Amino acid sequence: MAQRTGAERFIAPFAKAASARTFLALAAAGAVLAGCGGGSPSPSSFSGESDTTESTHAVASRRGRTTASTAERPAIGNRDKNEGSGSNSTKGSDSGPDAGPNAAGGKRGAHIVPPKGPVEQAPSPEQVTNATIASMSLQSPAVVASSGSPGRLASTYTCDGHDQWPTLHWGGVPAGTTELILYLMNVQPVNEDLFVDWAVAGLKPSSDEIKAGEMPKGAIVGTNSFGRTGYSICPSGAGEIYMFALYALPRSLSPTRGFDARNLRQEILDVSGNVGLLPAVYERG
Amino acid sequence: MRTKATAIGATLVALAVLCAMFATSASAAPAWKFEGKSLEGTEVVLGGAIESSMTIPGLTTKCEDFLYKLTVENASGTGKGSLTEMPLYNCTTNSKVCSVSTIGAEKLPWASKLTTVETIPYIIIEGVKVSIYYLGSKCVLDETLVTVTGSAGGSIDNTAETATFNASTLSASKTELKALSQKIEWNGLFPTEAFQWHREQALSVS
């Protein structure tokens, strides 16, 4: 360790002047005064070993620090589900996250109670290679987004109005794309199944928009989950969240008019490497 | 003679004002402090989110818990940091047909710095990248990889020793996190506590 603790910094100048024996005596006295009960001060990583034996709350409550009102401060792991640290300790050892500070050990200091369950894994290279990556932009002047919430869709684009698709713009179509296929789906399933409101294949890779109510030349419309060859947004209740999805395909699937939108989607996912996504919400009234 | 003296006097006053301005500017740069003293060298701040949720428009994705490890230091009097680890736990969506297959922080470490926004100390985390891979044959994001990128600013409460991230703090610090070309919402409350050389010491930023 390049750094020294405060005790070490204090002791170092004395060491230069005193004999080794004196230094050792001073160091030992300093260690006792500093309350060093053993253990390295170096922090561990989350993947280190855990020796959690008590919750942060328990330790924090007896730290006796008056500054920053330790007792008032939220304590890590001070949740009902994390109480009973014995089981968490085992969990932590199994799942990886240590309780880093615990390994730093000592008889004092705060502890982090590892969360229950295994640590989530980042997408693997294989998943990234096979995934449909949300890398394209897809936007609509009719869908104005707000932070954290999908943009709202006006009733004119639903069965409460003209039931006409809005203008959509896109960009970032990857090189080598031979066909674009546009989908509109309910985010939440209907009768526990994917619900497709609109599917349009045969869009040219050189295109960058579809205008409201105008079907581009060469476009092929599929059969939606309402059983109609066309577009419709018609929630059964007060509203729904929808997802526009524009898939870029490196090879054409060449579906015919009235294709089964739900079935074609699996083929699309097997082929497509890129997608543009635009969530939108429609609420009645 | 009097004119020359006046000119010298005015110059000195101007220099004094400039010095005062620079001094104010320098002291305004927030630094990491322990028990009121500026941190020398590095320190490790380690903790777990007390509560946190990330709302991706359309499909709300939440992680019940996550931990973080932040190495901090003061460089030229200004607090900086490096987020080196951020394991996530129990991540789910609000759709019963969509599962989070994998999710993880990428391109770590993420740089961070301290700043002040209207007298309130902030920590800015830069270069955030979180990738999420969804699965579910009936899920709209089946086999889809969504990436959250951007930067996030959180306000630091020196009394409670916490950092708070929400829509207000991101807006105030002129930072944003995006996914699907849209701003996403992140709410998080994190304790700030040292675990290396300054354990048990009061951590503040000013």
Side-chain angles (χ1 to χ4, degrees):
Chain A
M1 286 293 171
Q3 280 211 40
R4 290 170 166 173
T5 62
E8 285 169 342
R9 277 198 292 268
F10 175 76
I11 289 165
F14 289 89
K16 290 178 183 173
S19 68
R21 187 174 296 172
T22 309
F23 169 69
L24 285 173
L26 279 170
V32 170
L33 287 171
C36 299
S40 161
S42 65
S44 62
S45 77
F46 291 117
S47 54
E49 291 182 0
S50 172
D51 63 351
T52 306
T53 53
E54 55 191 333
S55 72
T56 302
H57 179 67
V59 176
S61 65
R62 64 174 171 77
R63 280 197 285 172
R65 195 176 81 194
T66 53
T67 53
S69 181
T70 303
E72 295 167 15
R73 185 172 59 174
I76 304 161
N78 183 16
R79 303 181 191 177
D80 290 340
K81 68 171 191 164
N82 283 336
E83 295 298 335
S85 51
S87 61
N88 288 332
S89 164
T90 308
K91 195 84 179 175
S93 299
D94 292 344
S95 59
D98 153 31
N102 302 318
K107 295 177 180 173
R108 53 183 191 155
H111 288 51
I112 295 174
V113 177
K116 287 185 178 178
V119 63
E120 300 279 358
Q121 298 300 309
S124 66
E126 187 184 356
Q127 281 179 323
V128 173
T129 302
N130 296 327
T132 301
I133 300 170
S135 60
M136 295 160 58
S137 68
L138 181 61
Q139 292 172 323
S140 171
V143 180
V144 182
S146 58
S147 180
S149 303
R152 289 179 181 277
L153 204 58
S155 64
T156 187
Y157 305 107
T158 74
C159 61
D160 296 329
H162 296 106
D163 213 5
Q164 180 189 71
W165 61 88
T167 294
L168 294 160
H169 303 285
W170 54 82
V173 176
T177 299
T178 60
E179 182 182 12
L180 296 171
I181 300 186
L182 183 61
Y183 267 67
L184 174 63
M185 300 165 279
N186 287 27
V187 167
Q188 297 295 344
V190 175
N191 297 327
E192 299 191 359
D193 207 350
L194 180 71
F195 197 92
V196 181
D197 307 276
W198 189 39
V200 182
L203 297 171
K204 291 179 180 171
S206 58
S207 64
D208 59 4
E209 68 170 1
I210 185 168
K211 289 184 175 163
E214 290 182 29
M215 190 55 65
K217 193 177 176 183
I220 303 154
V221 182
T223 303
N224 64 17
S225 297
F226 292 106
R228 293 202 297 264
T229 302
Y231 168 99
S232 185
I233 281 185
C234 204
S236 56
E240 292 281 357
I241 299 174
Y242 298 89
M243 186 74 77
F244 289 93
L246 181 74
Y247 297 97
L249 276 63
R251 65 176 172 85
S252 282
L253 294 178
S254 304
T256 54
R257 179 177 159 75
F259 64 86
D260 186 316
R262 211 177 304 173
N263 288 344
L264 186 72
R265 185 163 172 274
Q266 191 51 55
E267 287 184 56
I268 292 170
L269 291 176
D270 291 342
V271 173
S272 174
N274 301 82
V275 64
L277 296 165
L278 175 65
V281 64
Y282 172 59
E283 288 178 345
R284 287 196 164 107
Chain B
M1 190 67 178
R2 177 179 283 182
T3 309
K4 194 173 180 182
T6 307
I8 292 170
T11 306
L12 287 172
V13 169
L15 279 172
V17 169
L18 278 172
C19 285
M21 282 171 66
F22 279 113
T24 306
S25 164
S27 65
W32 299 102
K33 293 180 178 175
F34 289 93
E35 303 293 5
K37 292 180 181 173
S38 276
L39 167 68
E40 291 176 14
T42 62
E43 178 56 89
V44 172
V45 178
L46 202 64
I50 295 162
E51 56 186 49
S52 180
S53 70
M54 188 174 278
T55 306
I56 293 173
L59 189 65
T60 301
T61 304
K62 289 189 176 182
C63 293
E64 203 173 303
D65 300 290
F66 70 87
L67 306 178
Y68 74 92
K69 183 179 177 184
L70 180 69
T71 301
V72 300
E73 64 176 331
N74 290 322
S76 303
T78 302
K80 294 186 183 303
S82 182
L83 190 85
T84 56
E85 293 181 47
M86 199 183 80
L88 305 163
Y89 300 83
N90 306 315
C91 300
T92 56
T93 76
N94 65 339
S95 169
K96 59 184 175 183
V97 295
C98 296
S99 67
V100 175
S101 170
T102 51
I103 181 171
E106 296 187 340
K107 297 208 170 172
L108 291 165
W110 299 338
S112 71
K113 63 183 180 187
L114 296 177
T115 189
T116 303
V117 179
E118 294 176 354
T119 73
I120 299 170
Y122 270 71
I123 181 168
I124 310 289
I125 311 287
E126 296 170 324
V128 172
K129 185 178 181 190
V130 176
S131 290
I132 312 161
Y133 182 63
Y134 297 95
L135 278 180
S137 61
K138 293 164 185 174
C139 173
V140 290
L141 296 182
D142 184 26
E143 299 178 30
T144 301
L145 186 75
V146 174
T147 305
V148 176
T149 57
S151 57
S155 61
I156 293 177
D157 184 331
N158 283 328
T159 305
E161 291 184 52
T162 57
T164 301
F165 292 82
N166 56 38
S168 298
T169 66
L170 265 69
S171 173
S173 58
K174 294 184 171 55
T175 56
E176 63 179 20
L177 293 171
K178 293 183 92 171
L180 312 184
S181 304
Q182 298 188 19
K183 276 188 192 178
I184 70 159
E185 203 168 277
W186 181 33
N187 292 296
L189 178 63
F190 302 87
T192 55
E193 189 162 13
F195 280 101
Q196 194 175 24
W197 314 104
H198 302 82
R199 296 178 77 175
E200 300 187 68
Q201 293 185 16
L203 170 59
S204 62
V205 166
S206 61

